[in-house]
Amino acid sequence: MKIAVIALGKIGLPLAVQFASKGHDVVGVDVNQAVVDLVNAGMEPFPGEAHLQEKLSELVPAGKLRATTDYAQAVPGADAVVLVVPLFVDSEANPDFAWMDAATAELARHLTPNTLVAYETTLPVGTTRTRWKPALEAGSGLVEGKDFHLVFSPERVLTGRVFEDLRKYPKLVGGLSEAGAAKAIEFYESVLDFDDRPDLDRGNGVWDLGSAEASELAKLAETTYRDVNIGLANQFARYAAKTGIDIYQVIAASNSQPFSHIHQPGIAVGGHCIPVYPRLYLWNDPDATVVRAARAANAGMPDYTIGLLEGAYGELTGARVVVLGAAYRGGVKETAFSGVFDAVDAIKRRGGTALVHDPMYTDEELAALGFAAYHWGDPVDAAVVQADHAEYRALVPADLPGIKAFIDGRRISSAEKWPGVTYRVIGKA
């Protein structure tokens, strides 16, 4: 098949590589010329994705994968077009469709008959049918269900392990017609491999959910569940700390029963997915009080954690406090909705001087994010773990001269490692 992949980001490029690795001819489209040039040179444009570089080194010289900024070189005559353009959101996670609208308009201009179009970007329920279908029809002059087929098939992978996750989890599809769904099943079965999953009643593979709306909701539901679960864990943790209970013993005990799956509490829920997709769900269902309450509970955790610091250290006026980790989670160079922003603000509101350390970011990169960089060995009064980078697990007081309080927002250390220092972890008195 000839396949076009629109947007060669941290999900789109691995998808394009996966498709090409199955013997298909893949053209990737991206608005960033630098990304296009790197892909065409067989070089990964971003670090950290397992096996991406080795696959690029094989597929690009073999002529199975190339990149362009020009839709006209990728879309006409394609058997399938997969679009993974990001959906941007504001600080309240309200959707901004501008980039997706622009990409859809350009796709429509070059769309030719007999093409399967699959959107993989997470969307509010109904977007595929009510926004993308009329836009594609208007821009192309073609009729969906007759001249081309449109489906929604959410990505379900984590950056850093995309190829592993593509094999591990069922590929969900939902069409606007039975014929479209059938084409999507045939397409994804030809471009993906699946691990054996005897734990799944339905078996691993491509799952037709019956409609685009069901497929859209499935992605929102699985991520919103995680946000609600973490919100509940954080509520339990705050109560346990007030009553002198070790919440981690409680969670382990509860989860020993097979119907309990309580997640871990922590300083923040960040990234492109968990803080955002519940808001996309609420966009359609504003009366979902459970979802709204959990989102509020999680959003309040950075300020709560700095409150723990204040209780352990005392008044923060004039204190030098280092926030350990700008990234939203360990090992990932990404600050989308990271707890670092609210943690720094909370320190400043209490009169402290906030510094930020992250092994994945240079001083210049931290400055561009609005942070003052901290360097090992500089004097500091307190530290707060915001991201669970592996490097932080080995920290000892000598690394942070003068430290009086260590707030472990990710439970990566223990009180025994901090003699003479007030150690606090979320969920324990």
Side-chain angles (χ1 to χ4, degrees), residues 221-237 247-248 250-252 254-255 260-266 269 274 298 411:
E222 67 187 26
T223 46
T224 299
Y225 161 79
R226 294 172 64 193
D227 197 44
V228 171
N229 195 317
I230 296 167
L232 183 61
N234 281 328
Q235 295 273 285
F236 287 157
I247 193 58
Y248 300 97
V250 170
I251 290 174
S254 299
N255 289 353
S260 179
H261 307 281
I262 303 171
H263 291 0
Q264 296 293 301
V269 178
I274 302 179
N298 290 335
R411 200 186 173 216

Side-chain angles (χ1 to χ4, degrees), residues 8 13 26-30 33 35-40 60 65-70 73:
L8 299 177
L13 181 56
V26 181
V27 182
V29 180
D30 200 277
Q33 185 66 54
V35 168
V36 167
D37 291 342
L38 285 168
V39 172
N40 285 333
V60 173
L65 173 65
R66 63 184 178 88
T68 179
T69 59
D70 187 1
Q73 293 186 26

Side-chain angles (χ1 to χ4, degrees), residues 1-2 8 24 29 61 65 77 97 100 103 145 150 180 200 202-203 230 257 261 272 301 304 308 318 324 407 426:
M1 288 187 295
K2 177 184 177 183
L8 299 177
H24 304 290
V29 180
L65 173 65
F97 290 101
M100 293 195 76
L150 175 61
L200 298 175
R202 194 169 172 178
I230 296 167
Q257 198 259 21
H261 307 281
H272 292 284
M301 287 304 294
Y304 169 81
L308 290 182
L324 298 173
I407 309 302
I426 293 169

Side-chain angles (χ1 to χ4, degrees), residues 127-304:
T127 306
T128 304
R129 189 181 304 272
T130 63
R131 194 181 194 98
W132 306 140
K133 175 184 175 178
L136 289 171
E137 289 183 331
S140 67
L142 303 175
V143 177
E144 196 282 327
K146 175 185 174 185
D147 302 315
F148 72 97
H149 290 286
L150 175 61
V151 301
F152 179 72
S153 180
E155 56 84 7
R156 308 178 73 201
V157 298
L158 283 179
T159 56
R161 61 181 210 196
V162 172
F163 299 110
E164 175 187 349
D165 286 351
L166 284 173
R167 300 180 60 99
K168 186 183 299 183
Y169 307 124
K171 185 60 172 159
L172 311 181
V173 299
L176 302 186
S177 67
E178 290 185 8
K183 282 188 172 294
I185 293 170
E186 181 182 9
F187 167 70
Y188 282 113
E189 285 181 343
S190 73
V191 295
L192 299 177
D193 298 299
F194 296 97
D195 294 334
D196 185 35
R197 289 283 304 275
D199 59 307
L200 298 175
D201 292 339
R202 194 169 172 178
N204 203 359
V206 184
W207 289 13
D208 178 11
L209 297 192
S211 70
E213 289 79 8
S215 190
E216 289 164 339
L217 180 56
K219 179 56 186 287
L220 296 179
E222 67 187 26
T223 46
T224 299
Y225 161 79
R226 294 172 64 193
D227 197 44
V228 171
N229 195 317
I230 296 167
L232 183 61
N234 281 328
Q235 295 273 285
F236 287 157
R238 293 172 71 152
Y239 172 75
K242 288 192 297 184
T243 53
I245 299 169
D246 182 344
I247 193 58
Y248 300 97
Q249 286 194 20
V250 170
I251 290 174
S254 299
N255 289 353
S256 68
Q257 198 259 21
F259 303 107
S260 179
H261 307 281
I262 303 171
H263 291 0
Q264 296 293 301
I267 182 174
V269 178
H272 292 284
C273 301
I274 302 179
V276 175
Y277 299 158
R279 294 290 190 184
L280 297 185
Y281 176 81
L282 287 165
W283 202 58
N284 286 112
D285 185 9
D287 296 326
T289 55
V290 172
V291 176
R292 191 176 302 280
R295 184 84 296 274
N298 290 335
M301 287 304 294
D303 186 74
Y304 169 81

Side-chain angles (χ1 to χ4, degrees), residues 7-15 17 30 35 38-39 43-50 52-53 56 159-160 162-163 333:
L8 299 177
K10 292 185 177 181
I11 304 299
L13 181 56
L15 279 179
V17 165
D30 200 277
V35 168
L38 285 168
V39 172
M43 299 175 61
E44 59 181 3
F46 44 81
E49 186 58 56
L52 180 60
Q53 181 56 62
L56 284 170
T159 56
V162 172
F163 299 110
K333 190 176 182 181

Side-chain angles (χ1 to χ4, degrees), residues 336-354:
F337 292 90
S338 171
V340 68
F341 298 103
D342 287 342
V344 165
D345 287 345
I347 292 165
K348 290 179 177 178
R349 284 199 311 272
R350 290 168 168 85
T353 297

